[in-house]
Amino acid sequence: MAIELNGKTYETDEEGYLSDISEWNEDVAKVLAEQENVNMTEQHWEVINFLREYYNEFQIAPAVRVLTKAIGKKLGPEKGNSQYLYELFPYGPGKQACKIAGLPKPTGCI
Amino acid sequence: MLHIVNKSPLDRPALDTCLATAQPGGAILLIEDGVYAATTGNSAAGKLTQAMGQMKVYALKPDLEARGIADRVLEGVNLVDYGGFVDLVTEHATCQSWL
Amino acid sequence: MSEGQIKKFMYVNRKAPHGTIYALESLEVVLIAAAFDQDVSLAFMDDGVYQLKKGCNTKGIEVKNFQPTYRALDDYDINKLYVEKEALEARGLTEEDMCVPVEVLTRAEIGKLMETQDIVLSF
C-alpha cells in the first residue's frame, strides 16, 4: 500500500503504518488521520507530538498503559487517562495515534 | 594471510584458536562481536597485545562505535572502516574467517 | 487478561547486543510481556552485560540502535535489572558504564534469585 501526496509516494505496510518513519510530515499525518476518520484538533496534535518525542527518545512506540501514564506526567492527569485518549482516538490511542504519528505499531500492542 | 574474527573472545574460543594458528607476519582483523577483544580491561586484551609483537591487529571502527567501546580501544590496534576492510582482504592472498 | 496470581519472571540475557539477534528479541519479549503485569526481573550475565554498555552508536553498521529503549523499561514498571559482577570485571566494565540503573550481583547471588523464579526465560 502507499499514499500519494503532493507528487510523493509514501509506502505503508498492509495495516497502513508508514514504512519509513523519517518520511513523516504533518501533511501525510492528515491523510493518515482521514483514513482513520479522525478529525485532527489541537488536542490530537498534542498526543501525536508527544508520541513522536517519545519515539525519538526511546526508539519505541509505547504501549497504551505506558502512553497514558507518560501523558499524565507531562500534560496533566485530566489528559493522562484512557477515557480522554479514547475520545480522541476511538479505535485505540496506541494503534490509531501511532499510525498518524508515523510510528510502527506499538510493541506490546496485542 | 589475513585472519578475521567475528566472535566475542569471552563467548567463543575463535580468537584463541586464531591466535594459536596465525603465523608471524600475518594480520588479524576483528569485526562484529570480535571487536570486544580490542578493548582495555577485557580479559583477552593481554593475549591480543602479545600477538601484536608478531602481527598487525585491525578492528572495524563502525562495530566498535555500535557497541559503545570506540573510546577504549587497546593501544596498537589499527582502526579501519569498511573501505579499509576491503583493502585488507585484497592485500592478502588468502583469508581465514574464524566463524 | 483473566485474573491470576502474579508470577515471577526472570529474563536471562547472555549475548552481546548486535552480533546476534538475542538481545533485541529479549527486549521485545520483555516489553510485550509487560502488558501482563507480572513480577519481572532482567539478569545480564556474560556478554549480556555489553547490552547495557553506554554510548552505542549504530549509524556505521546501519542497524537500529535499541539501546535507548532500555531507558523506557522503567515506564513499563520493569526496574529490577541485575548485572553480573564477574562479567563486568572480565570485560573491564563498571556499574558507571551501564546506560540504566542496575544492581550489581555476583553469579552466586543471581543464581539464588534464579531459584526463586516461577519462570526463567533464556536469551
Side-chain angles (χ1 to χ4, degrees), chain B residues 8 10-11 32-33 36 39-44 62-63 65-69 71-72 82, chain C residues 15-20 47 50 53-58 60-61 89-93 97:
Chain B
S8 163
L10 294 167
D11 191 46
E32 299 168 13
D33 286 345
Y36 286 121
T39 57
T40 55
N42 188 294
S43 46
D63 279 325
E65 289 167 345
R67 289 160 180 78
I69 50 174
D71 58 351
R72 51 177 72 201
Y82 287 105
Chain C
K15 300 285 180 199
H18 305 296
T20 65
D47 274 356
Y50 280 137
K53 170 66 185 73
K54 260 182 207 167
C56 291
N57 174 359
T58 57
I61 62 169
E89 285 166 0
R91 289 160 184 78
L93 300 175
D97 288 312

mmCIF file of all heavy atoms in Angstrom, chain B residues 8 10-11 32-33 36 39-44 62-63 65-69 71-72 82, chain C residues 15-20 47 50 53-58 60-61 89-93 97:
data_model
loop_
_atom_site.group_PDB
_atom_site.id
_atom_site.type_symbol
_atom_site.label_atom_id
_atom_site.label_comp_id
_atom_site.label_asym_id
_atom_site.label_seq_id
_atom_site.Cartn_x
_atom_site.Cartn_y
_atom_site.Cartn_z
ATOM 1 N N SER B 8 32.944 -12.768 20.041
ATOM 2 C CA SER B 8 33.462 -12.233 21.293
ATOM 3 C C SER B 8 34.423 -13.247 21.919
ATOM 4 O O SER B 8 34.119 -14.439 21.968
ATOM 5 C CB SER B 8 32.301 -11.962 22.253
ATOM 6 O OG SER B 8 32.783 -11.822 23.569
ATOM 7 N N LEU B 10 35.063 -13.826 24.875
ATOM 8 C CA LEU B 10 34.564 -14.421 26.115
ATOM 9 C C LEU B 10 33.332 -15.288 25.888
ATOM 10 O O LEU B 10 32.751 -15.823 26.825
ATOM 11 C CB LEU B 10 34.264 -13.314 27.139
ATOM 12 C CG LEU B 10 35.530 -12.567 27.591
ATOM 13 C CD1 LEU B 10 35.179 -11.292 28.336
ATOM 14 C CD2 LEU B 10 36.387 -13.458 28.458
ATOM 15 N N ASP B 11 32.938 -15.404 24.626
ATOM 16 C CA ASP B 11 31.762 -16.210 24.310
ATOM 17 C C ASP B 11 32.150 -17.478 23.548
ATOM 18 O O ASP B 11 31.530 -18.516 23.714
ATOM 19 C CB ASP B 11 30.774 -15.365 23.486
ATOM 20 C CG ASP B 11 29.421 -16.051 23.342
ATOM 21 O OD1 ASP B 11 28.908 -16.556 24.359
ATOM 22 O OD2 ASP B 11 28.882 -16.079 22.222
ATOM 23 N N GLU B 32 32.524 -7.241 14.035
ATOM 24 C CA GLU B 32 31.320 -7.615 14.789
ATOM 25 C C GLU B 32 31.673 -7.803 16.270
ATOM 26 O O GLU B 32 32.369 -6.978 16.852
ATOM 27 C CB GLU B 32 30.669 -8.861 14.152
ATOM 28 C CG GLU B 32 30.237 -8.583 12.707
ATOM 29 C CD GLU B 32 29.846 -9.840 11.934
ATOM 30 O OE1 GLU B 32 29.661 -10.914 12.539
ATOM 31 O OE2 GLU B 32 29.724 -9.742 10.701
ATOM 32 N N ASP B 33 31.212 -8.911 16.891
ATOM 33 C CA ASP B 33 31.484 -9.078 18.324
ATOM 34 C C ASP B 33 32.966 -9.362 18.602
ATOM 35 O O ASP B 33 33.398 -9.343 19.747
ATOM 36 C CB ASP B 33 30.620 -10.210 18.903
ATOM 37 C CG ASP B 33 29.156 -9.787 19.051
ATOM 38 O OD1 ASP B 33 28.881 -8.572 18.986
ATOM 39 O OD2 ASP B 33 28.301 -10.669 19.237
ATOM 40 N N TYR B 36 35.241 -6.740 20.693
ATOM 41 C CA TYR B 36 35.334 -6.632 22.157
ATOM 42 C C TYR B 36 36.734 -7.003 22.662
ATOM 43 O O TYR B 36 37.173 -6.520 23.704
ATOM 44 C CB TYR B 36 34.293 -7.529 22.834
ATOM 45 C CG TYR B 36 32.873 -7.001 22.746
ATOM 46 C CD1 TYR B 36 31.869 -7.752 22.134
ATOM 47 C CD2 TYR B 36 32.531 -5.766 23.293
ATOM 48 C CE1 TYR B 36 30.560 -7.280 22.069
ATOM 49 C CE2 TYR B 36 31.225 -5.284 23.230
ATOM 50 C CZ TYR B 36 30.248 -6.049 22.622
ATOM 51 O OH TYR B 36 28.956 -5.586 22.554
ATOM 52 N N THR B 39 39.451 -4.142 23.471
ATOM 53 C CA THR B 39 39.171 -3.078 24.440
ATOM 54 C C THR B 39 39.958 -3.263 25.724
ATOM 55 O O THR B 39 40.186 -4.389 26.176
ATOM 56 C CB THR B 39 37.664 -3.017 24.771
ATOM 57 O OG1 THR B 39 37.226 -4.282 25.259
ATOM 58 C CG2 THR B 39 36.861 -2.659 23.533
ATOM 59 N N THR B 40 40.324 -2.136 26.309
ATOM 60 C CA THR B 40 41.081 -2.187 27.565
ATOM 61 C C THR B 40 40.226 -2.811 28.656
ATOM 62 O O THR B 40 39.034 -2.561 28.742
ATOM 63 C CB THR B 40 41.479 -0.767 28.017
ATOM 64 O OG1 THR B 40 40.296 0.033 28.089
ATOM 65 C CG2 THR B 40 42.442 -0.127 27.044
ATOM 66 N N GLY B 41 40.856 -3.640 29.460
ATOM 67 C CA GLY B 41 40.144 -4.253 30.575
ATOM 68 C C GLY B 41 39.500 -5.575 30.236
ATOM 69 O O GLY B 41 39.176 -6.352 31.124
ATOM 70 N N ASN B 42 39.303 -5.851 28.941
ATOM 71 C CA ASN B 42 38.767 -7.159 28.559
ATOM 72 C C ASN B 42 39.827 -8.210 28.851
ATOM 73 O O ASN B 42 41.027 -7.986 28.605
ATOM 74 C CB ASN B 42 38.411 -7.159 27.066
ATOM 75 C CG ASN B 42 37.665 -8.424 26.642
ATOM 76 O OD1 ASN B 42 38.213 -9.526 26.665
ATOM 77 N ND2 ASN B 42 36.414 -8.264 26.259
ATOM 78 N N SER B 43 39.424 -9.356 29.353
ATOM 79 C CA SER B 43 40.442 -10.333 29.753
ATOM 80 C C SER B 43 41.198 -10.929 28.570
ATOM 81 O O SER B 43 42.196 -11.614 28.768
ATOM 82 C CB SER B 43 39.845 -11.412 30.663
ATOM 83 O OG SER B 43 38.647 -11.885 30.147
ATOM 84 N N ALA B 44 40.746 -10.666 27.350
ATOM 85 C CA ALA B 44 41.503 -11.118 26.175
ATOM 86 C C ALA B 44 42.573 -10.102 25.757
ATOM 87 O O ALA B 44 43.375 -10.378 24.864
ATOM 88 C CB ALA B 44 40.552 -11.373 25.001
ATOM 89 N N PRO B 62 33.232 0.995 12.754
ATOM 90 C CA PRO B 62 31.768 1.051 12.935
ATOM 91 C C PRO B 62 31.261 0.030 13.947
ATOM 92 O O PRO B 62 30.290 0.289 14.658
ATOM 93 C CB PRO B 62 31.223 0.742 11.538
ATOM 94 C CG PRO B 62 32.336 1.078 10.603
ATOM 95 C CD PRO B 62 33.602 0.811 11.354
ATOM 96 N N ASP B 63 31.912 -1.136 14.028
ATOM 97 C CA ASP B 63 31.485 -2.139 15.003
ATOM 98 C C ASP B 63 31.843 -1.720 16.433
ATOM 99 O O ASP B 63 31.109 -2.019 17.376
ATOM 100 C CB ASP B 63 32.108 -3.502 14.677
ATOM 101 C CG ASP B 63 31.328 -4.231 13.579
ATOM 102 O OD1 ASP B 63 30.091 -4.088 13.539
ATOM 103 O OD2 ASP B 63 31.960 -4.928 12.771
ATOM 104 N N GLU B 65 31.959 1.437 17.413
ATOM 105 C CA GLU B 65 31.015 2.523 17.728
ATOM 106 C C GLU B 65 29.639 1.973 18.081
ATOM 107 O O GLU B 65 28.984 2.443 19.013
ATOM 108 C CB GLU B 65 30.909 3.476 16.537
ATOM 109 C CG GLU B 65 32.163 4.314 16.342
ATOM 110 C CD GLU B 65 32.212 5.026 15.001
ATOM 111 O OE1 GLU B 65 31.425 4.670 14.099
ATOM 112 O OE2 GLU B 65 33.052 5.927 14.859
ATOM 113 N N ALA B 66 29.213 0.959 17.330
ATOM 114 C CA ALA B 66 27.885 0.384 17.569
ATOM 115 C C ALA B 66 27.786 -0.214 18.970
ATOM 116 O O ALA B 66 26.703 -0.308 19.539
ATOM 117 C CB ALA B 66 27.574 -0.692 16.534
ATOM 118 N N ARG B 67 28.936 -0.626 19.511
ATOM 119 C CA ARG B 67 28.953 -1.282 20.820
ATOM 120 C C ARG B 67 29.363 -0.342 21.955
ATOM 121 O O ARG B 67 29.536 -0.778 23.099
ATOM 122 C CB ARG B 67 29.870 -2.513 20.755
ATOM 123 C CG ARG B 67 29.251 -3.630 19.921
ATOM 124 C CD ARG B 67 30.247 -4.643 19.417
ATOM 125 N NE ARG B 67 29.570 -5.670 18.620
ATOM 126 C CZ ARG B 67 29.173 -5.511 17.358
ATOM 127 N NH1 ARG B 67 29.392 -4.371 16.729
ATOM 128 N NH2 ARG B 67 28.545 -6.483 16.723
ATOM 129 N N GLY B 68 29.531 0.939 21.621
ATOM 130 C CA GLY B 68 29.852 1.922 22.663
ATOM 131 C C GLY B 68 31.246 1.787 23.230
ATOM 132 O O GLY B 68 31.508 2.185 24.362
ATOM 133 N N ILE B 69 32.175 1.209 22.468
ATOM 134 C CA ILE B 69 33.504 0.940 23.021
ATOM 135 C C ILE B 69 34.634 1.567 22.202
ATOM 136 O O ILE B 69 35.805 1.233 22.396
ATOM 137 C CB ILE B 69 33.752 -0.596 23.140
ATOM 138 C CG1 ILE B 69 33.434 -1.293 21.825
ATOM 139 C CG2 ILE B 69 32.909 -1.177 24.270
ATOM 140 C CD1 ILE B 69 33.781 -2.773 21.797
ATOM 141 N N ASP B 71 35.877 4.340 22.455
ATOM 142 C CA ASP B 71 36.740 5.214 23.265
ATOM 143 C C ASP B 71 37.649 4.420 24.203
ATOM 144 O O ASP B 71 38.309 4.995 25.056
ATOM 145 C CB ASP B 71 35.870 6.191 24.069
ATOM 146 C CG ASP B 71 34.877 5.475 24.971
ATOM 147 O OD1 ASP B 71 34.733 4.235 24.849
ATOM 148 O OD2 ASP B 71 34.241 6.152 25.800
ATOM 149 N N ARG B 72 37.671 3.105 24.079
ATOM 150 C CA ARG B 72 38.541 2.316 24.965
ATOM 151 C C ARG B 72 39.279 1.225 24.200
ATOM 152 O O ARG B 72 39.364 0.072 24.644
ATOM 153 C CB ARG B 72 37.729 1.722 26.112
ATOM 154 C CG ARG B 72 36.479 0.967 25.702
ATOM 155 C CD ARG B 72 35.812 0.377 26.904
ATOM 156 N NE ARG B 72 35.177 1.408 27.714
ATOM 157 C CZ ARG B 72 34.877 1.255 29.014
ATOM 158 N NH1 ARG B 72 35.172 0.124 29.626
ATOM 159 N NH2 ARG B 72 34.284 2.215 29.683
ATOM 160 N N TYR B 82 34.875 0.384 6.454
ATOM 161 C CA TYR B 82 34.550 -0.706 5.526
ATOM 162 C C TYR B 82 35.487 -0.713 4.311
ATOM 163 O O TYR B 82 35.836 -1.775 3.794
ATOM 164 C CB TYR B 82 33.079 -0.629 5.096
ATOM 165 C CG TYR B 82 32.133 -1.049 6.202
ATOM 166 C CD1 TYR B 82 31.396 -0.113 6.914
ATOM 167 C CD2 TYR B 82 32.015 -2.398 6.556
ATOM 168 C CE1 TYR B 82 30.545 -0.502 7.943
ATOM 169 C CE2 TYR B 82 31.178 -2.796 7.583
ATOM 170 C CZ TYR B 82 30.439 -1.839 8.272
ATOM 171 O OH TYR B 82 29.615 -2.229 9.297
ATOM 172 N N LYS C 15 24.011 -12.521 25.714
ATOM 173 C CA LYS C 15 24.667 -12.271 24.424
ATOM 174 C C LYS C 15 24.939 -10.782 24.223
ATOM 175 O O LYS C 15 24.151 -9.944 24.638
ATOM 176 C CB LYS C 15 23.756 -12.744 23.283
ATOM 177 C CG LYS C 15 23.412 -14.229 23.322
ATOM 178 C CD LYS C 15 24.578 -15.067 22.875
ATOM 179 C CE LYS C 15 24.209 -16.543 22.921
ATOM 180 N NZ LYS C 15 25.380 -17.402 22.945
ATOM 181 N N ALA C 16 26.009 -10.494 23.529
ATOM 182 C CA ALA C 16 26.337 -9.112 23.160
ATOM 183 C C ALA C 16 25.235 -8.563 22.235
ATOM 184 O O ALA C 16 24.513 -9.333 21.604
ATOM 185 C CB ALA C 16 27.701 -9.067 22.483
ATOM 186 N N PRO C 17 25.087 -7.239 22.173
ATOM 187 C CA PRO C 17 23.896 -6.665 21.544
ATOM 188 C C PRO C 17 23.709 -6.848 20.035
ATOM 189 O O PRO C 17 22.595 -7.064 19.607
ATOM 190 C CB PRO C 17 24.003 -5.177 21.882
ATOM 191 C CG PRO C 17 25.432 -4.942 22.177
ATOM 192 C CD PRO C 17 25.919 -6.205 22.783
ATOM 193 N N HIS C 18 24.749 -6.729 19.217
ATOM 194 C CA HIS C 18 24.486 -6.668 17.779
ATOM 195 C C HIS C 18 24.929 -7.890 16.978
ATOM 196 O O HIS C 18 24.470 -8.082 15.867
ATOM 197 C CB HIS C 18 25.127 -5.413 17.173
ATOM 198 C CG HIS C 18 24.694 -4.163 17.871
ATOM 199 N ND1 HIS C 18 23.389 -3.734 17.873
ATOM 200 C CD2 HIS C 18 25.375 -3.289 18.631
ATOM 201 C CE1 HIS C 18 23.289 -2.638 18.593
ATOM 202 N NE2 HIS C 18 24.480 -2.344 19.061
ATOM 203 N N GLY C 19 25.816 -8.704 17.540
ATOM 204 C CA GLY C 19 26.343 -9.845 16.783
ATOM 205 C C GLY C 19 25.292 -10.911 16.532
ATOM 206 O O GLY C 19 25.354 -11.634 15.541
ATOM 207 N N THR C 20 24.325 -11.017 17.429
ATOM 208 C CA THR C 20 23.214 -11.952 17.248
ATOM 209 C C THR C 20 21.920 -11.196 17.542
ATOM 210 O O THR C 20 21.944 -10.080 18.044
ATOM 211 C CB THR C 20 23.301 -13.146 18.226
ATOM 212 O OG1 THR C 20 23.138 -12.651 19.567
ATOM 213 C CG2 THR C 20 24.626 -13.871 18.115
ATOM 214 N N ASP C 47 28.483 -12.024 28.178
ATOM 215 C CA ASP C 47 28.492 -10.914 27.218
ATOM 216 C C ASP C 47 27.189 -10.101 27.240
ATOM 217 O O ASP C 47 27.121 -9.033 26.640
ATOM 218 C CB ASP C 47 28.728 -11.438 25.791
ATOM 219 C CG ASP C 47 30.218 -11.584 25.478
ATOM 220 O OD1 ASP C 47 31.043 -11.208 26.338
ATOM 221 O OD2 ASP C 47 30.547 -12.067 24.383
ATOM 222 N N TYR C 50 27.209 -6.391 27.942
ATOM 223 C CA TYR C 50 27.521 -5.432 26.873
ATOM 224 C C TYR C 50 26.251 -4.769 26.321
ATOM 225 O O TYR C 50 26.320 -3.709 25.709
ATOM 226 C CB TYR C 50 28.246 -6.130 25.724
ATOM 227 C CG TYR C 50 29.723 -6.375 25.947
ATOM 228 C CD1 TYR C 50 30.298 -7.600 25.601
ATOM 229 C CD2 TYR C 50 30.558 -5.374 26.452
ATOM 230 C CE1 TYR C 50 31.658 -7.816 25.762
ATOM 231 C CE2 TYR C 50 31.914 -5.593 26.616
ATOM 232 C CZ TYR C 50 32.463 -6.820 26.269
ATOM 233 O OH TYR C 50 33.812 -7.032 26.420
ATOM 234 N N LYS C 53 26.135 -1.443 27.822
ATOM 235 C CA LYS C 53 27.300 -0.560 27.751
ATOM 236 C C LYS C 53 26.894 0.744 27.080
ATOM 237 O O LYS C 53 26.485 0.762 25.922
ATOM 238 C CB LYS C 53 28.434 -1.228 26.965
ATOM 239 C CG LYS C 53 29.609 -0.317 26.622
ATOM 240 C CD LYS C 53 30.384 0.147 27.850
ATOM 241 C CE LYS C 53 31.480 1.154 27.486
ATOM 242 N NZ LYS C 53 30.961 2.498 27.124
ATOM 243 N N LYS C 54 27.030 1.830 27.854
ATOM 244 C CA LYS C 54 26.674 3.176 27.378
ATOM 245 C C LYS C 54 27.302 3.531 26.039
ATOM 246 O O LYS C 54 28.385 3.062 25.726
ATOM 247 C CB LYS C 54 27.264 4.195 28.363
ATOM 248 C CG LYS C 54 26.333 4.762 29.370
ATOM 249 C CD LYS C 54 27.118 5.788 30.200
ATOM 250 C CE LYS C 54 26.526 5.912 31.589
ATOM 251 N NZ LYS C 54 27.440 6.654 32.465
ATOM 252 N N GLY C 55 26.648 4.427 25.309
ATOM 253 C CA GLY C 55 27.304 5.096 24.180
ATOM 254 C C GLY C 55 27.240 4.367 22.859
ATOM 255 O O GLY C 55 28.025 4.661 21.957
ATOM 256 N N CYS C 56 26.319 3.404 22.694
ATOM 257 C CA CYS C 56 26.219 2.706 21.413
ATOM 258 C C CYS C 56 25.761 3.667 20.317
ATOM 259 O O CYS C 56 24.812 4.417 20.496
ATOM 260 C CB CYS C 56 25.215 1.553 21.504
ATOM 261 S SG CYS C 56 25.786 0.202 22.538
ATOM 262 N N ASN C 57 26.453 3.627 19.196
ATOM 263 C CA ASN C 57 26.067 4.431 18.038
ATOM 264 C C ASN C 57 26.131 3.529 16.809
ATOM 265 O O ASN C 57 27.208 3.191 16.325
ATOM 266 C CB ASN C 57 27.027 5.613 17.892
ATOM 267 C CG ASN C 57 26.763 6.405 16.627
ATOM 268 O OD1 ASN C 57 25.879 6.064 15.832
ATOM 269 N ND2 ASN C 57 27.524 7.457 16.429
ATOM 270 N N THR C 58 24.959 3.134 16.314
ATOM 271 C CA THR C 58 24.910 2.103 15.276
ATOM 272 C C THR C 58 24.826 2.664 13.858
ATOM 273 O O THR C 58 24.576 1.913 12.921
ATOM 274 C CB THR C 58 23.698 1.171 15.504
ATOM 275 O OG1 THR C 58 22.508 1.976 15.524
ATOM 276 C CG2 THR C 58 23.812 0.441 16.826
ATOM 277 N N GLY C 60 27.075 3.556 11.789
ATOM 278 C CA GLY C 60 28.048 2.946 10.881
ATOM 279 C C GLY C 60 27.687 1.553 10.424
ATOM 280 O O GLY C 60 28.062 1.148 9.334
ATOM 281 N N ILE C 61 26.988 0.789 11.262
ATOM 282 C CA ILE C 61 26.638 -0.577 10.838
ATOM 283 C C ILE C 61 25.200 -0.644 10.325
ATOM 284 O O ILE C 61 24.700 -1.721 9.982
ATOM 285 C CB ILE C 61 26.878 -1.630 11.961
ATOM 286 C CG1 ILE C 61 26.014 -1.368 13.195
ATOM 287 C CG2 ILE C 61 28.351 -1.668 12.364
ATOM 288 C CD1 ILE C 61 26.038 -2.530 14.202
ATOM 289 N N GLU C 89 33.771 -7.401 35.489
ATOM 290 C CA GLU C 89 35.216 -7.400 35.760
ATOM 291 C C GLU C 89 36.007 -8.003 34.603
ATOM 292 O O GLU C 89 37.052 -7.478 34.217
ATOM 293 C CB GLU C 89 35.500 -8.156 37.065
ATOM 294 C CG GLU C 89 35.110 -7.336 38.287
ATOM 295 C CD GLU C 89 35.062 -8.149 39.576
ATOM 296 O OE1 GLU C 89 35.325 -9.377 39.536
ATOM 297 O OE2 GLU C 89 34.747 -7.549 40.627
ATOM 298 N N ALA C 90 35.505 -9.087 34.038
ATOM 299 C CA ALA C 90 36.237 -9.745 32.947
ATOM 300 C C ALA C 90 36.280 -8.881 31.689
ATOM 301 O O ALA C 90 37.064 -9.139 30.784
ATOM 302 C CB ALA C 90 35.582 -11.090 32.626
ATOM 303 N N ARG C 91 35.414 -7.860 31.645
ATOM 304 C CA ARG C 91 35.329 -7.021 30.444
ATOM 305 C C ARG C 91 35.816 -5.602 30.679
ATOM 306 O O ARG C 91 35.648 -4.736 29.821
ATOM 307 C CB ARG C 91 33.880 -7.020 29.934
ATOM 308 C CG ARG C 91 33.497 -8.369 29.332
ATOM 309 C CD ARG C 91 32.011 -8.618 29.256
ATOM 310 N NE ARG C 91 31.756 -9.978 28.753
ATOM 311 C CZ ARG C 91 31.868 -11.085 29.487
ATOM 312 N NH1 ARG C 91 32.207 -11.019 30.759
ATOM 313 N NH2 ARG C 91 31.652 -12.273 28.943
ATOM 314 N N GLY C 92 36.379 -5.352 31.841
ATOM 315 C CA GLY C 92 36.903 -4.018 32.134
ATOM 316 C C GLY C 92 35.800 -2.983 32.269
ATOM 317 O O GLY C 92 36.009 -1.803 32.010
ATOM 318 N N LEU C 93 34.618 -3.416 32.673
ATOM 319 C CA LEU C 93 33.486 -2.502 32.806
ATOM 320 C C LEU C 93 33.147 -2.304 34.285
ATOM 321 O O LEU C 93 33.497 -3.125 35.121
ATOM 322 C CB LEU C 93 32.248 -3.068 32.092
ATOM 323 C CG LEU C 93 32.361 -3.330 30.586
ATOM 324 C CD1 LEU C 93 31.091 -4.001 30.072
ATOM 325 C CD2 LEU C 93 32.620 -2.043 29.823
ATOM 326 N N ASP C 97 29.467 2.281 33.662
ATOM 327 C CA ASP C 97 29.390 2.097 32.206
ATOM 328 C C ASP C 97 27.987 1.704 31.751
ATOM 329 O O ASP C 97 27.718 1.637 30.544
ATOM 330 C CB ASP C 97 30.365 1.001 31.752
ATOM 331 C CG ASP C 97 31.815 1.461 31.842
ATOM 332 O OD1 ASP C 97 32.103 2.564 31.360
ATOM 333 O OD2 ASP C 97 32.637 0.722 32.397
#
